[in-house]
Amino acid sequence: MKKLKVGFIGYRGMVGSVLINRMLEEGDFAHIDPVFFSTSNPHGNTYPINGTVYKLHDAYDIEQLLMLDVIISTHGGEYTNTMYCKLEQNNYTGFWLDASSNLRMKDNAVIVLDPINRAVIDKALASGVKLFIGGNCTVSLMLLALGGLFANDLVEWVSSITYQAVSGAGANNMRELLQQWHMVAQNSQAILNDNKHSILELDAKINQLINSEHLPRNYFDYPIAGNVLPWIDVAMANGQTKEEWKGGAEANKILGLVPNTINIDGMCVRVGAMRCHSQALTIKLKDKNLSVTAIEKIIQEHNPWVTVVANNKQDTLSKLTPAAISNTLKVAIGRLRKLNFGDDFLGAFTVGDQLLWGAAEPIRRMLNIIIKHHAN
Ligand code: NAP
C-alpha cells in the first residue's frame, strides 16, 4: 500500500522537535512519506533527520498542502487560523493534526488523548472525522495522572494550581529564560566571589536588575528568572485566564462528559522551570470512604505511564520534580493524602513533560492510529 504523504509544519519548534525525536525513537518515519515545510525559510533545508536533510517547502503554498494525506501543524495558532480556513475553502480532504488550541472546541474536532478517549477517536475516524487536535498540556497531563479516578467516576470537582515551565511558551521563551539567568549570573559574580559581602546588597542588586529594562524580555515581557508569573494566555470575561478556562472546557470534552460536566478550575502560573508542567491538585471525591491506598491503586492501574510516588520527603524530592521527569513519558503523581477539609478531599501533586504527553505524544500516536485505519 502507498505510504501516506505527511506534511510537517513547525517541525523545528519546541513541540515539533520533540515530535520528530519521538518519531525517530519509534521508527515512525518508516511508515510515512514525510514532507517538511517552513514559514521562515521556505527554500532552505531541514536539519538532518535520521541522516537525511530534506528540502523545505513554503508552508503557505496551498497547492503543496492540498497534495498531502495528513498535515501536522505544530507551528501555532496564527498559522492554523490562516491556513486551515484556506484548506477548507479549497476542499482539502486529508487529515489535519494540530498542537495549537484554535480548533479544539469545533464540533467536528476531536481532542486526542488516546489512553483516555480511544473509543471517541475510533468512532470519529469511522464516521469520517478528519480534524484531530492535541489537548492543552496541563489538561492532558492532569487527565493521565487522574485517569483512574475519572474512569471510575470518583471525581466531583478538581482545583488545579499549575507551575508551568517556560518551554510551554515556545523555543524563544526558553532561550529568554537562559539569557535572563546569564545576565543575573554575570551581574552577581563579583559579589558571589566575596562571601563577606552583604547578602541584602546582593539581593537588592539582583531585584533591581530583574526589574530593569536591561533584562532581555522580548518574549515574556516580564522577568521570569527569579520570578513567577501568575497569568498565562488572554483574559476571559469571568476573570479566568484562557489557560484556566481550558482546564474545564477541554477536560470535559476529552472525557466526553458534556453537558454533564465536572467542575475543573484553578490558577495557572508560569515558573522558571525549563521543561515539565507541575500541578497541585485539590480533588473533591464522590466517595469519602476510599482509603489513600485504594486511591493509589486505582490511579496506578489506569495506564502504563502514570507513576504513583510515595508521600515521603526522599521519594517526593527525587521522583516528583521537573528535574526528575523531564524528557520522559512518565506522569508522576504524589503527595497523595486526605486534606483536613474532610475525608472526601484529596490533595495531590503531579508532574509531567508537557512537550511529550502534554503535546507531541498524543499527536504522534494519533498519526499511527490514522496509518493503521488507512491500512484497513
Ligand atoms: P515554538 O517553539 O515557538 O515553535 C513554533 C515555530 O516558530 C517553529 O516551528 C518555527 O517555525 C518558528 N520559530 C521561530 N523562532 C524559532 C526558534 N528560535 N527556534 C525554533 N523555532 C522557531 O512553539 P511551540 O512551543 O512548539 O508551540 C507550537 C504550538 O503548540 C502552539 O500553538 C502552542 O500553544 C502549542 N503547544 C505547545 C506546548 C509546549 O509545551 N510548548 C504544549 C502544547 C501545545 P518555522 O520553522 O516555520 O520558522
Side-chain angles (χ1 to χ4, degrees), residues 8 11 16-24 29 36 47 49:
F8 293 86
Y11 76 98
S17 312
V18 171
L19 174 67
I20 300 297
N21 262 359
R22 280 291 297 141
M23 290 183 65
L24 289 171
F29 282 103
F36 293 91
Y47 54 77
I49 296 173

Side-chain angles (χ1 to χ4, degrees), residues 59-334:
Y60 296 106
D61 182 344
I62 195 85
E63 298 304 325
Q64 285 277 347
L65 295 173
L66 285 168
M67 283 163 31
L68 299 166
D69 299 304
V70 181
I71 296 174
I72 302 183
S73 175
T74 54
H75 192 279
E78 239 173 78
Y79 179 83
T80 297
N81 269 351
T82 313
M83 295 312 290
Y84 183 73
C85 284
K86 284 197 183 157
L87 282 164
E88 261 192 327
Q89 284 158 7
N90 282 276
N91 303 316
Y92 175 62
T93 53
F95 291 92
W96 177 277
L97 272 60
D98 202 327
S100 74
S101 62
N102 304 47
L103 305 173
R104 285 181 195 145
M105 301 312 284
K106 273 177 80 95
D107 286 345
N108 63 339
V110 171
I111 306 180
V112 291
L113 188 62
D114 68 275
I116 302 290
N117 68 348
R118 179 65 197 255
V120 176
I121 290 170
D122 287 341
K123 197 169 156 206
L125 270 178
S127 66
V129 169
K130 297 284 177 83
L131 197 50
F132 294 95
I133 318 293
N136 171 267
C137 34
T138 47
V139 172
S140 297
L141 293 171
M142 180 189 65
L143 290 179
L144 281 176
L146 299 182
L149 299 185
F150 286 118
N152 287 285
D153 192 21
L154 291 169
V155 179
E156 192 174 320
W157 54 254
V158 182
S159 167
S160 162
I161 311 299
T162 72
Y163 307 77
Q164 297 181 222
V166 287
S167 51
N172 288 320
N173 297 65
M174 207 170 178
R175 286 169 185 272
E176 187 160 282
L177 171 65
L178 292 172
Q179 286 164 350
Q180 292 186 1
W181 272 341
H182 183 65
M183 189 174 272
V184 167
Q186 276 183 327
N187 276 268
S188 52
Q189 195 59 52
I191 298 181
L192 274 181
N193 289 342
D194 172 8
N195 74 359
K196 293 194 201 71
H197 212 103
S198 158
I199 192 66
L200 289 183
E201 195 181 319
L202 176 59
D203 178 46
K205 188 177 160 77
I206 296 309
N207 195 41
Q208 195 179 21
L209 172 68
I210 65 176
N211 281 300
S212 79
E213 63 194 24
H214 302 300
L215 200 77
R217 47 170 89 167
N218 299 316
Y219 295 96
F220 275 118
D221 296 337
Y222 295 88
I224 182 69
N227 205 12
V228 297
L229 300 174
W231 190 285
I232 300 177
D233 212 332
V234 296
M236 303 294 286
N238 64 355
Q240 282 178 312
T241 63
K242 194 160 183 199
E243 188 80 353
E244 289 152 7
W245 169 83
K246 287 173 190 170
E250 289 189 22
N252 279 292
K253 180 165 178 174
I254 294 170
L255 290 166
L257 295 176
V258 182
N260 303 313
T261 54
I262 294 176
N263 226 338
I264 300 171
D265 199 356
M267 198 83 72
C268 290
V269 182
R270 184 77 66 197
V271 298
M274 290 290 278
R275 199 164 156 166
C276 283
H277 289 351
S278 310
Q279 306 181 53
L281 304 170
T282 300
I283 302 148
K284 172 79 164 55
L285 296 168
K286 288 186 178 173
D287 180 355
K288 67 178 181 184
N289 297 317
L290 268 179
S291 68
V292 171
T293 309
I295 290 168
E296 285 176 348
K297 191 165 182 289
I298 290 168
I299 289 176
Q300 187 59 76
E301 286 175 354
H302 179 262
N303 65 72
W305 301 279
V306 68
T307 308
V308 172
V309 175
N311 186 19
N312 64 56
K313 183 175 178 179
Q314 196 188 343
D315 283 309
T316 299
L317 297 182
S318 60
K319 297 176 186 163
L320 191 61
T321 61
I325 294 300
S326 191
N327 212 359
T328 76
L329 287 163
K330 282 184 198 164
V331 178
I333 181 164

Side-chain angles (χ1 to χ4, degrees), residues 10 12-15 39-40 74-76 99-100 167-168 170-172 354-355 358-359:
R12 74 178 181 115
M14 283 310 315
V15 177
T39 58
S40 60
T74 54
H75 192 279
S100 74
S167 51
N172 288 320
Q354 95 288 349
L355 287 161

